[in-house]
Amino acid sequence: MILFPKTVTAKLSLTRKFVFLRANSQIMFDRPADLKNALHPNMHDESRQGEVLVIEQTPKYKGRKLYIESYGCAMNFADSEIVASIMLDMGFETTSQYKEADVIFINTCSIRDNAEQRVRNRLREFGAAKRKSPGMTIGVLGCMAERLKSKFLEEEKLVDIVIGPDSYRDLPNLINQADEGARAVNVLLSREETYADISPVRLNSNGISAFVSIMRGCDNMCSFCVVPFTRGRERSRDPLSIIQEARELFNNGYKELTLLGQNVDSYKWRASPPTPLQGRGETHKGNVGDYSDHVPLSSGEGRGEAVNFAQLLEMVALIDPQLRVRFSTSHPKDITDDVLHTMIKYDNICNHIHLPVQSGNSRVLNLMNRTYTRQWYLERIDTIKKMIPDCAISTDIIIGFCTETEEEHRDTLSMMDYVQYDFAYMYTYSERPGTLAAKKFKDDIPPEVKTRRFNEILTKQQEGSHKRLLNHTGKTYRVLIDGLSKKSDLDFSGKTEYNITVIFPVNPDYMPGDYVNVLIEKCTPATLLGNIITN
Ligand code: SAM
Ligand code: SF4
């Protein structure tokens, strides 16, 4: 099945007015206020959790409405775009009002317990709507569907469809089953599904930034993490399909792409056909938490010539110097000097690396099965800073992992002092059923201790981030305008290559999607403020 591109919001620089071309209508915006209504920031951030996703286009209309909302990581948001593409092909249109939907999809996250609780609460609201409109279909997608499988149907009586992240091609079949009154489940995990041939519908797109999935699943077995069980084996997507998607996005006006994978550094594609072993789809059998059949296997095993991540990055960077390229997530054990050399070679690859540390202590890292030590991580940081002195570095930190002592917690704080992270996602440890940590270790750090340690980490990061922002004042940066400021129609909002938001007065000579040089004059705790300077 080949589905053709359906980029739904394309920006054209036809005039210096704000002109946007949508699939079925051309809309002119004379005033920034109109522009503000038309644009949504597209980078993944926490404030997007639960955000409703809307296709701004009328597809072939069959009169059935889809409401879809997503939780969790950027991969999940990217998956919702695949799902929307498949549903669009079936003739659905989207709605932002779940009460008027024929089908409600909730794309779920299992990474922490509170992510799952949020979904349960939301399902209660959807359930109330369904009681009023019994013909409505409710589908649970993504990691929680994969983790709980058919148990979900027992626990949540109003759910009709449970579908895992590798089974979205089966949606037409499952929707048909639901239409006939059956409750349907497909949580088959695959060793080869990458949805490479499905061109995602860009949802709530600002027409400037987009995610491109380059791989799926994960073969690392970090002891705290449920991802290898909910998203299956690691597999890389055909580079040609990635380049084609990236090129189409650029041709449609997009200026910034983020290449997505759980561990982009282990991206590997081999050209020859898959072996019989790889052609076989497989599912995790057994009950919730029974992951005993999961044996890590390198992706692409047994194939011919390989393309690695550094090469893929170069291929995307070569599409056009005006196309900014980002990537996430890098694993400290895998990030290579080749990737750093490629970043240096191409100005349009943003000098920003998201390098989750999780803990600053080697014993804890060992318990987490991260397969690197504090010293190894510090060496990687030193190398990055030596090779790319201005590189922004962000991270993920888990606080209060099993048996973590005060001293080990202080090692994480000292790691933060050393690295000076520009940004950090910080989480208290949440035990996930079936993971190695849940089987082997006691979740023994009391909640109040986790909270206190969390606050110490948070305070350090906030202070550090602010200090880093202050360092940018007085400097001039190339900023990609991505829309209007959330607070004022008179200001543009844009991003530096370090992924820092910059706010500066609107200048009618420029529009979203343009690069401008901005002199940074001051900053708030999280944002740079400046003025466009003309060369
Ligand atoms: N693949 C990425 C990596 O290895 O760095 C991370 C992917 S995971 C979706 C995002 C982050 O969630 C992790 O880096 C970790 O900090 C956090 N996380 C995962 N499992 C967790 C758990 N059980 N409790 C708390 N945080 C967790
Ligand atoms: Fe989870 Fe570790 Fe894989 Fe990241 S690398 S998705 S933390 S198992």
Side-chain angles (χ1 to χ4, degrees):
M1 174 173 60
I2 299 283
L3 303 178
F4 291 101
K6 296 187 218 73
T7 302
V8 293
T9 310
K11 181 177 74 63
L12 294 183
S13 300
L14 291 179
T15 74
R16 298 319 297 174
K17 285 185 171 183
F18 303 119
V19 179
F20 289 78
L21 183 70
R22 289 163 204 250
N24 296 319
S25 62
Q26 188 169 326
I27 306 166
M28 267 206 187
F29 298 95
D30 284 322
R31 289 170 298 113
D34 297 327
L35 176 67
K36 184 169 190 172
N37 293 336
L39 292 174
H40 307 267
N42 195 40
M43 294 307 293
H44 180 70
D45 68 52
E46 278 298 305
S47 65
R48 293 191 66 200
Q49 299 300 303
E51 176 182 288
V52 56
L53 304 170
V54 181
I55 301 168
E56 297 173 273
Q57 176 187 38
T58 306
K60 53 181 175 162
Y61 180 72
K62 284 189 189 163
R64 299 186 73 185
K65 292 196 169 92
L66 166 72
Y67 174 92
I68 179 166
E69 67 180 38
S70 293
Y71 293 81
C73 64
M75 296 287 300
N76 243 18
F77 283 75
D79 276 6
S80 289
E81 298 186 332
I82 300 274
V83 167
S85 178
I86 293 168
M87 296 294 282
L88 193 76
D89 248 47
M90 290 168 68
F92 276 83
E93 63 178 271
T94 54
T95 171
S96 61
Q97 305 297 320
Y98 72 82
K99 289 180 184 165
E100 66 172 42
D102 297 288
V103 172
I104 295 179
F105 279 164
I106 182 161
N107 196 353
T108 60
C109 170
S110 275
I111 204 85
R112 285 174 299 281
D113 184 57
N114 62 6
E116 292 200 351
Q117 291 318 321
R118 242 199 278 192
V119 168
R120 300 263 189 198
N121 291 340
R122 199 66 178 132
L123 279 174
R124 273 190 272 285
E125 292 171 43
F126 296 155
K130 185 171 170 160
R131 274 187 281 274
K132 285 193 189 142
S133 320
M136 186 183 265
T137 297
I138 299 182
V140 176
L141 284 59
C143 290
M144 227 175 139
E146 193 64 51
R147 193 177 85 71
L148 292 162
K149 303 182 173 59
S150 52
K151 199 164 177 265
F152 220 120
L153 295 182
E154 291 157 33
E155 290 175 9
E156 303 282 349
K157 298 283 182 235
L158 290 165
V159 169
D160 305 285
I161 293 176
V162 172
I163 184 161
D166 284 350
S167 303
Y168 296 141
R169 284 181 204 271
D170 199 26
L171 273 167
N173 176 34
L174 298 193
I175 294 278
N176 285 339
Q177 287 184 40
D179 284 349
E180 283 162 19
R183 302 174 84 203
V185 180
N186 189 341
V187 288
L188 208 68
L189 284 174
S190 161
R191 288 192 182 181
E192 59 178 17
E193 178 63 88
T194 59
Y195 300 111
D197 56 331
I198 298 184
S199 187
V201 174
R202 302 294 157 186
L203 294 167
N204 279 9
S205 174
N206 61 6
I208 293 158
S209 308
F211 295 123
V212 176
S213 280
I214 62 164
M215 58 205 295
R216 298 181 71 82
C218 182
D219 278 353
N220 295 319
M221 291 296 281
C222 301
S223 63
F224 51 80
C225 187
V226 78
V227 168
F229 309 117
T230 58
R231 300 190 74 91
R233 292 271 163 70
E234 180 188 293
R235 69 221 93 121
S236 298
R237 179 178 166 192
D238 181 340
L240 293 181
S241 76
I242 296 171
I243 300 306
Q244 187 185 346
E245 184 179 333
R247 194 171 283 133
E248 276 162 6
L249 284 164
F250 181 70
N251 290 341
N252 284 326
Y254 285 80
K255 291 284 182 59
E256 183 178 71
L257 304 184
T258 304
L259 307 180
L260 287 182
Q262 292 297 351
N263 179 3
V264 290
D265 302 293
S266 64
Y267 175 90
K268 191 176 285 177
W269 172 262
R270 289 181 199 274
S272 57
T275 62
L277 179 72
Q278 287 162 329
R280 177 167 60 89
E282 69 163 32
T283 183
H284 289 304
K285 301 168 219 81
N287 298 324
V288 180
D290 177 7
Y291 305 130
S292 52
D293 61 340
H294 185 95
V295 183
L297 178 81
S298 301
S299 73
E301 213 169 75
R303 296 185 183 188
E305 281 301 300
V307 174
N308 65 24
F309 181 60
Q311 291 161 331
L312 178 74
L313 194 56
E314 177 162 37
M315 288 158 80
V316 179
L318 281 169
I319 288 175
D320 196 288
Q322 293 298 309
L323 179 67
R324 265 188 180 177
V325 187
R326 301 184 181 280
F327 54 91
S328 184
T329 297
S330 303
H331 195 297
K333 81 173 160 60
D334 292 321
I335 187 167
T336 62
D337 291 356
D338 275 356
V339 168
L340 303 180
H341 284 299
T342 308
M343 290 174 74
I344 294 166
K345 194 165 161 196
Y346 296 96
D347 280 347
N348 57 330
I349 302 178
C350 293
N351 282 343
H352 172 213
I353 299 176
H354 186 64
L355 199 68
V357 65
Q358 314 298 1
S359 165
N361 176 270
S362 296
R363 189 191 73 90
V364 176
L365 286 170
N366 186 37
L367 291 185
M368 288 176 165
N369 201 24
R370 286 291 286 182
T371 68
Y372 54 85
T373 60
R374 178 184 173 92
Q375 287 65 36
W376 172 277
Y377 188 90
L378 288 172
E379 187 282 324
R380 290 285 75 201
I381 293 291
D382 288 345
T383 303
I384 292 167
K385 289 190 172 179
K386 198 163 109 202
M387 289 175 69
I388 313 173
D390 68 332
C391 193
I393 301 174
S394 55
T395 200
D396 293 347
I397 297 173
I398 295 181
I399 295 132
F401 188 65
C402 315
T403 74
E404 182 191 67
T405 64
E406 285 301 322
E407 200 184 336
E408 288 164 344
H409 162 61
R410 282 197 295 276
D411 282 346
T412 302
L413 289 165
S414 74
M415 176 69 86
M416 295 169 78
D417 284 333
Y418 186 86
V419 180
Q420 293 291 308
Y421 292 111
D422 293 80
F423 188 79
Y425 291 99
M426 297 151 279
Y427 313 101
T428 51
Y429 173 60
S430 165
E431 186 178 271
R432 308 309 297 132
T435 56
L436 296 181
K439 285 179 186 164
K440 280 168 64 180
F441 313 124
K442 193 160 176 265
D443 180 13
D444 59 352
I445 307 300
E448 63 280 9
V449 176
K450 281 184 186 169
T451 304
R452 195 247 310 142
R453 289 182 190 171
F454 176 86
N455 286 333
E456 287 171 12
I457 298 266
L458 178 70
T459 305
K460 183 165 289 290
Q461 185 53 43
Q462 283 172 338
E463 288 167 3
S465 292
H466 193 206
K467 223 162 73 189
R468 299 275 298 164
L469 286 186
L470 282 169
N471 286 341
H472 291 294
T473 56
K475 296 180 182 154
T476 299
Y477 293 112
R478 193 161 183 255
V479 172
L480 175 61
I481 306 175
D482 55 24
L484 288 172
S485 150
K486 283 180 196 154
K487 289 196 182 148
S488 167
D489 296 347
L490 301 176
D491 289 330
F492 274 137
S493 168
K495 290 255 168 31
T496 65
E497 65 170 311
Y498 315 117
N499 211 17
I500 302 172
T501 299
V502 187
I503 305 294
F504 48 98
V506 165
N507 175 331
D509 289 341
Y510 300 101
M511 62 186 289
D514 285 343
Y515 291 100
V516 284
N517 289 326
V518 177
L519 173 65
I520 307 302
E521 283 157 2
K522 50 189 176 182
C523 69
T524 69
T527 310
L528 297 175
L529 308 172
N531 269 298
I532 296 177
I533 55 163
T534 40
N535 293 327

